[in-house]
Amino acid sequence: MASQSKGGVATRVKRDWWTFIVPSIILVLAIGLRIANSPLLEEAQLRVFDAFQRMRPRTFQQVPVRIVDIDDESLSRLGQWPWPRTLIAQLVRRLSELGASVIAFDVVFAEPDRTSPSRVLPLWPSTPAIEALRADADALPDHDRLLAQAIADANVVTAFTLTHLPSGREPLRKAGFSYGGDDPRGFLPIYPGAVTNLEGLEAAAAGNGSFTILPDRDGVIRRIPLVFRLHDTIYPSLVAEALRVAQGASAYGVKSSGASGELGFGAHTGITHVKVGQFVIPTDREGRLWLYDTGYVPARFLPAWRILSDDNPPDVTGHIVFVGTSAAGLKDIRATALNPAVAGVEVHAQLVEQILLQQFLQRPDWADGAELLYVLLLGIILILALPRLGPAWCALFGGIALVIVSGLSWHAFIALHWLIDPVFPSVVTLVIYLVASLMSFLHTEAERRQVRQAFGRYLSPVLVQRLAESSKHLALGGEL
């Protein structure tokens, strides 16, 4: 009988340990997945941040930024795309006359203009009149040269796109870079090639930047790079170049971990800021700026035909003007948190608005560590407390803790524009609570079965039921 009692005690001890071990394993696995930056967890986190923006989008405020839109009506009035470079040159001159501070093209002029005389004349049939034109072809104006001259006479920023295939010519870099802290090239994705503008157009421009935008895994644009790496050279984005040229600055400053004033505790955490003229822009470790979306705002757009019209032209004095398209079939379609189909040029314009207004979304460097620490502490408390306090009290405690973290995350977003994830801690805490509750229930049921089996043959049913309900009565000795 004594050996059976010892065996029963040993069994209960093992079951007690399992009520702690299994939830602890769940906690360790969850923390491991978060540290490993699981794509599924990251995507879920990003969707939470999207929900924050949908509930409280950035308020549109008038700043000197506009989009000259090559929209469907402009194509109907001025002709199909691509327009002759003479018409583009006319658009550049007109914007310059209207007082535009910078004209940034969200378009690449990679090929010579097919409407130039030297390219059109060989396609025409041989007639005496056409042969006479061919004889004087060298005297006829080249459309690309006319556009290059218009670009040289204005503050124009040309654009290029980076590719994952090698290319023959690298784009011109119009400004220098200074670095503080770790070499930023170690944190930037490497591109092996680029699609650039014609050399004459690029050389005439005041600035040259990349409009490359890569979406997250789910196809949504949330973070846009301010700097890029082509081979071993850093290039600015179209947004950064438009700001630099507008201020007349000649260089960029890139600040990374290890720089003066940056608390990294020896860790190489990546890029922290990009300085463009007087603006210091906070970024993530890869030099990307979070898009703080307003959604579509018609006041941001000016149809291209209105710029070229003599009737009531818009005032763009001192404005940074992006030239792009929203026309069906030409639109560079992107998806953002607020809009499933937005023109890529609108994303660039919104980033400049954010920088001018100094309204940034930020994911603080300490956010990951704080979320992990919160999960660890709350998980340990639940694992230790649940067998002692029971599911009801632990449910109350866990519910209060989740309400607090959700409230703090939302307050951090609306007050500080910080992106703190409340969902990962909440889900992990809920899973631990359910698993720990299940283990506690199974442990209790196992004890009751053991009591019924051990004493059901010797004691009255009432006493057996009493022992099953509370195993603390199961002890050696007598009771009156």
Side-chain angles (χ1 to χ4, degrees), residues 231-242:
H231 302 305
D232 280 334
T233 304
I234 292 184
Y235 285 86
S237 68
L238 181 64
V239 167
E241 275 290 80

Side-chain angles (χ1 to χ4, degrees), residues 18-20 22-24 26 379 382-387 391 394 429-443:
W18 277 112
T19 60
F20 294 102
V22 175
S24 299
I26 300 294
L382 282 177
I383 292 170
L384 295 176
L386 198 141
C394 287
T429 300
L430 178 61
V431 171
I432 290 174
Y433 170 79
L434 293 176
V435 171
S437 298
L438 176 62
M439 296 303 301
S440 180
F441 173 77
L442 294 176
H443 172 69

Side-chain angles (χ1 to χ4, degrees), residues 76-286:
S76 176
R77 289 171 178 259
L78 303 174
Q80 68 180 15
W81 187 263
W83 287 342
R85 301 285 159 80
T86 50
L87 185 57
I88 301 295
Q90 185 181 348
L91 181 64
V92 170
R93 290 195 178 92
R94 183 64 170 157
L95 285 169
S96 184
E97 291 170 0
L98 293 174
S101 173
V102 174
I103 305 163
F105 278 97
D106 187 38
V107 180
V108 177
F109 303 108
E111 303 293 338
D113 187 358
R114 293 178 297 174
T115 65
S116 289
S118 61
R119 292 185 171 272
V120 171
L121 288 175
L123 304 177
W124 291 356
S126 180
T127 65
I130 292 175
E131 289 300 326
L133 284 175
R134 287 173 178 162
D136 297 329
D138 292 340
L140 297 175
D142 180 80
H143 292 182
D144 292 314
R145 290 199 193 100
L146 292 176
L147 177 56
Q149 186 58 53
I151 289 174
D153 294 337
N155 261 350
V156 173
V157 176
T158 51
F160 59 90
T161 182
L162 296 168
T163 68
H164 293 286
L165 296 175
S167 62
R169 187 175 72 84
E170 293 188 358
L172 293 178
R173 199 171 74 162
K174 300 283 184 171
F177 282 83
S178 62
Y179 309 142
D182 295 327
D183 189 341
R185 290 176 295 184
F187 309 107
L188 298 175
I190 303 175
Y191 288 90
V195 177
T196 62
N197 288 278
L198 298 173
E199 290 189 55
L201 302 181
E202 207 173 58
N208 192 34
S210 174
F211 57 52
T212 303
I213 301 177
L214 292 180
D216 290 312
R217 285 170 49 91
D218 57 359
V220 177
I221 298 294
R222 299 182 180 90
R223 294 164 289 189
I224 297 87
L226 293 179
V227 288
F228 297 89
R229 178 179 175 182
L230 175 60
H231 302 305
D232 280 334
T233 304
I234 292 184
Y235 285 86
S237 68
L238 181 64
V239 167
E241 275 290 80
L243 280 169
R244 181 189 67 81
V245 173
Q247 298 176 86
S250 60
Y252 295 94
V254 181
K255 199 172 186 180
S256 306
S257 51
S260 175
E262 297 295 329
L263 295 177
F265 302 102
H268 304 287
T269 55
I271 299 171
T272 59
H273 297 85
V274 174
K275 188 173 186 297
V276 185
Q278 65 176 340
F279 297 103
V280 178
I281 307 164
T283 69
D284 70 0
R285 70 184 311 274
E286 296 180 11

Side-chain angles (χ1 to χ4, degrees), residues 106 301 325-326 331-334 339 341-348:
D106 187 38
F301 292 82
T325 180
S326 68
K331 186 176 182 180
D332 178 24
I333 298 176
R334 304 287 183 175
N339 194 338
V342 63
V345 65
E346 187 176 355
V347 175
H348 300 304

